[in-house]
């Protein structure tokens, strides 16, 4: 059983069942929060905030380091629910826990010191930073633990208290994290509520919440912004994006083909060779229903997303796009597995190119000139991230600076790094998090003008 964690206590009540996407079987019961639970959490956080914000930065940093040490020592208690509820292999679950610890320790090393913006013999202008207050964090199902902790660690080090609303599909690992944190953090500083979209809605309109940090879909993000506007809450939105991988003609084709796993834009000079190597690499992916082995391939996490991916595949077939491999559900296994799909040169305005898939369906697109490629990559309503694969790094940086996305990885698949600020462009979000700059989204900046 997993619980809401309110004022550092387990809170029982109505429950819901969490499913295992690898086996399509029930896992555990999780308590579901109601409005009274939210009110209790906000009340507790308000009391705790008055003391937490008065601690020195160094004291708050030490608390975060203690939290990271506690979680590392007890990682097995987090690993089991994380792997089971997400359907990730043991390897992938351990990678997410490693990233979680890295983000906590990174934020424990960060600060926003006062800065003298201007000074002469008559005037001194100083910028200083204060906590916002109560943060409501609404987290997704794909990386439930690390994406919760990126918000938790930044909020806490800046002196805020935080209430996390986990995805109803993957609440267990985050609930366990909060439970383990009760032995380290003061009461009410970190709390976790489980539940559906209604809990999230109540969080966004609650007058006791000062900021919402949301990671999720564009459609839901717009609703969050609308609800938060009623009380003029601060809002950070990290939303969807159909992130492109640009493959330049000077790469080692077989090496890069084995690493790329997103919408792929390949130069025409190597397109056929890359396509063949890429399809070969995709076909080599093996399904491990147990999750004990180390493949990076996982089932779709939930039935709702499973249906969306199947609908995308059906749309490709209906439009007579060429599917180079895959496209079938895996009837040998009871879980939500779909064999990886590679779609050969779908039109730029197709759903598979324009939408975020959250599933193993990859479009391959050919380009001839850099101008053409930049136009295709930028020709969507989203701009979260992208990758550029090239031997000449100078060319990669030039291309990267022309892409209308918040983050670009060069010669690497997308990988979280706490030092890199993450901010979606266009409909991929508002504001940003991570890195030292991300601390600004969890603080009020105050300007002090001192006349001498």
């Amino acid at each position: 059983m997993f619980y809401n964690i309110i004022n550092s206590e387990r809170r029982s009540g109505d429950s819901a069942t969490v499913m295992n996407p690898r086996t399509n079987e029930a896992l555990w019961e999780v308590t579901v929060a109601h409005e009274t639970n939210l009110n209790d959490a906000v009340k507790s956080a308000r009391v705790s905030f008055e003391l937490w914000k008065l601690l020195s930065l160094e004291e708050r940093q030490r608390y975060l380091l203690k939290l990271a040490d506690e979680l590392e020592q007890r990682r097995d208690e987090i690993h089991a629910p994380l792997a089971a509820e997400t359907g990730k292999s043991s390897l992938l679950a351990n990678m997410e826990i490693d990233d979680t610890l890295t983000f906590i320790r990174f934020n424990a090393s960060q600060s926003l010191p006062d800065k003298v913006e201007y000074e002469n013999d008559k005037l001194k202008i100083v910028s200083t930073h204060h906590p916002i207050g109560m943060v409501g964090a609404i987290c997704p199902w794909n990386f439930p633990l690390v994406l919760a902790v990126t918000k938790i660690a930044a909020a806490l080090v800046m002196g805020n208290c935080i209430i996390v609303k986990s995805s109803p599909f993957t609440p267990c690992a985050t609930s366990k994290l909060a439970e383990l944190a009760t032995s380290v953090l003061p009461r009410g500083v970190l709390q976790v509520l489980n539940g559906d979209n209604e809990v999230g809605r109540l969080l966004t309109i609650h007058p006791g919440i000062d900021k919402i940090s949301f990671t999720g879909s564009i459609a839901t993000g717009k609703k969050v912004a609308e609800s938060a506007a009623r009380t003029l809450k601060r809002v950070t939105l990290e939303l969807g994006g159909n992130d492109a991988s640009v493959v330049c003609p000077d790469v080692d084709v077989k090496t890069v083909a084995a690493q790329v796993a997103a919408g792929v834009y390949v130069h025409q000079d190597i397109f056929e060779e890359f396509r063949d190597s890429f399809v070969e690499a995709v076909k080599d992916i093996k399904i491990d229903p147990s999750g004990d082995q180390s493949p990076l391939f996982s089932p779709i996490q939930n039935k709702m997303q499973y249906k969306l991916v199947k609908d995308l595949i059906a749309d490709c077939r209906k439009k007579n796009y060429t599917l180079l491999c895959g496209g079938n559900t895996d009837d040998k296994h009871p879980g939500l597995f779909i064999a990886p799909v590679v779609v050969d040169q779908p039109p730029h305005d197709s759903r598979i190119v324009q939408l975020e898939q959250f599933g193993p369906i990859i479009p391959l697109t050919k380009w001839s000139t850099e101008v053409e490629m930049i136009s295709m990559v930028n020709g969507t309503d989203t701009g979260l991230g992208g990758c550029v694969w090239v031997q000449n790094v100078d060319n990669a940086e030039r291309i990267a600076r022309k892409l209308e996305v918040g983050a670009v990885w060069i010669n690497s698949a997308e990988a979280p790094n706490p030092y890199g600020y993450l901010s979606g462009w266009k409909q991929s979000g508002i504001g940003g998090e991570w890195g030292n700059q991300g601390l600004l989204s969890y603080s009020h900046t105050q300007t002090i003008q001192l006349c001498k």
Side-chain angles (χ1 to χ4, degrees):
M1 186 76 175
F2 291 86
Y3 300 87
N4 298 310
I5 304 299
I6 299 173
N7 197 26
S8 299
E9 300 171 351
R10 291 178 172 184
R11 294 289 179 90
S12 57
D14 296 339
S15 65
T17 303
V18 176
M19 304 298 292
N20 185 333
R22 279 190 178 271
T23 64
N24 213 19
E25 296 175 344
L27 283 169
W28 303 286
E29 292 296 303
V30 179
T31 55
V32 176
H34 297 288
E35 188 169 7
T36 54
N37 302 123
L38 173 58
N39 291 335
D40 288 347
V42 172
K43 182 179 178 180
S44 173
R46 283 287 174 192
V47 173
S48 301
F49 176 63
E50 295 304 317
L51 299 175
W52 182 250
K53 70 179 181 180
L54 296 178
L55 296 182
S56 68
L57 170 69
E58 292 75 19
E59 288 177 296
R60 295 195 297 268
Q61 290 175 330
R62 284 195 291 271
Y63 270 113
L64 285 181
L65 290 175
K66 289 179 182 177
L67 175 61
D69 291 344
E70 178 73 9
L71 297 179
E72 186 163 38
Q73 291 172 11
R74 303 176 69 177
R75 67 182 294 151
D76 287 349
E77 297 178 51
I78 301 174
H79 179 275
L82 179 63
E85 68 183 347
T86 60
K88 293 178 180 178
S89 67
S90 179
L91 171 71
L92 286 180
N94 273 316
M95 288 173 62
E96 183 164 348
I97 293 173
D98 288 341
D99 288 337
T100 295
L101 298 174
T102 298
F103 268 95
I104 295 175
R105 290 175 173 138
F106 166 78
N107 281 282
S109 72
Q110 297 299 298
S111 64
L112 291 176
D114 290 358
K115 180 182 178 183
V116 177
E117 304 288 355
Y118 175 79
E119 186 173 17
N120 61 18
D121 57 349
K122 295 182 179 180
L123 179 66
K124 182 179 181 181
I125 300 178
V126 178
S127 293
T128 187
H129 306 279
H130 300 266
I132 291 176
M134 302 304 106
V135 175
I138 303 176
C139 302
W141 49 260
N142 55 338
F143 292 94
L145 192 68
V146 69
L147 293 181
V149 160
T150 60
K151 303 175 191 301
I152 291 167
L156 294 185
V157 79
M158 291 307 299
N160 304 283
C161 292
I162 186 166
I163 299 171
V164 177
K165 207 293 282 186
S166 306
S167 165
F169 300 118
T170 55
C172 300
T174 307
S175 178
K176 176 56 69 174
L177 179 147
E179 183 179 325
L180 297 179
T182 60
S183 65
V184 177
L185 299 177
R187 281 181 171 270
V189 169
L190 165 62
Q191 301 175 90
V192 169
L193 301 178
N194 305 311
D196 56 16
N197 292 340
E198 177 63 11
V199 181
R201 187 189 70 83
L202 291 172
L203 197 65
T204 62
I205 64 175
H206 198 291
I209 300 293
D210 303 299
K211 173 191 169 68
I212 294 291
S213 177
F214 171 82
T215 300
S217 70
I218 293 172
T220 304
K222 291 177 179 180
K223 294 178 182 178
V224 168
E226 183 179 357
S227 295
R230 299 181 189 182
T231 50
L232 290 181
K233 288 176 173 56
R234 305 301 189 267
V235 175
T236 299
L237 303 176
E238 194 260 285
L239 308 179
N242 197 356
D243 301 349
S245 282
V246 175
V247 181
C248 296
D250 60 347
V251 301
D252 182 302
V253 170
K254 289 188 176 181
T255 300
V256 173
Q259 299 179 63
V260 173
V264 190
Y265 294 80
V266 185
H267 192 274
Q268 63 180 7
D269 290 352
I270 59 168
F271 184 83
E272 282 75 19
E273 181 187 1
F274 184 92
R275 180 179 59 193
D276 293 344
S277 295
F278 187 72
V279 171
E280 182 180 348
V282 168
K283 286 182 176 179
D284 283 342
I285 293 174
K286 300 294 189 294
I287 291 175
D288 168 36
S290 71
D292 294 333
Q293 304 302 315
S294 60
L296 301 184
F297 183 67
S298 300
I300 308 299
Q301 196 286 317
N302 57 78
K303 289 183 178 180
M304 179 182 70
Q305 191 62 35
Y306 184 75
K307 182 180 183 302
L308 289 175
V309 174
K310 288 178 66 177
D311 287 347
L312 273 177
I313 296 170
D315 181 71
C316 290
R317 287 199 170 109
K318 181 180 179 180
K319 302 290 177 54
N320 293 319
Y321 304 154
T322 301
L323 273 59
L324 298 174
C325 65
N328 299 315
T329 55
D330 195 312
D331 296 330
K332 298 178 183 178
H333 307 293
L336 304 179
F337 289 98
I338 294 179
V341 182
V342 180
V343 185
D344 189 14
Q345 303 180 72
H348 182 66
D349 61 355
S350 62
R351 292 179 64 201
I352 184 59
V353 172
Q354 294 293 322
L355 299 180
E356 185 173 30
Q357 298 102 5
F358 275 125
I361 175 168
I362 306 123
L364 286 179
T365 302
K366 183 189 297 185
W367 60 275
S368 57
T369 68
E370 189 174 301
V371 171
E372 177 192 29
M373 177 270 293
I374 295 295
S375 176
M376 288 192 294
V377 173
N378 291 344
T380 69
D381 293 332
T382 59
L384 189 58
C387 303
V388 179
W389 302 85
V390 62
Q391 283 194 357
N392 188 324
V393 176
D394 290 339
N395 286 342
E397 288 199 28
R398 188 188 68 254
I399 292 171
R401 294 174 189 276
K402 295 179 181 179
L403 300 182
E404 295 172 354
V405 298
V408 181
W409 287 264
I410 296 175
N411 292 330
S412 166
E414 296 176 4
N417 190 302
Y419 287 89
Y421 182 67
L422 182 65
S423 174
W425 292 18
K426 296 181 280 189
Q427 292 197 38
S428 285
I430 296 175
E433 299 179 312
W434 304 8
N436 183 264
Q437 184 179 345
L439 298 183
L440 288 169
S441 68
Y442 290 96
S443 65
H444 289 301
T445 298
Q446 182 184 59
T447 301
I448 300 174
Q449 300 192 30
L450 174 64
C451 294
K452 301 179 181 178

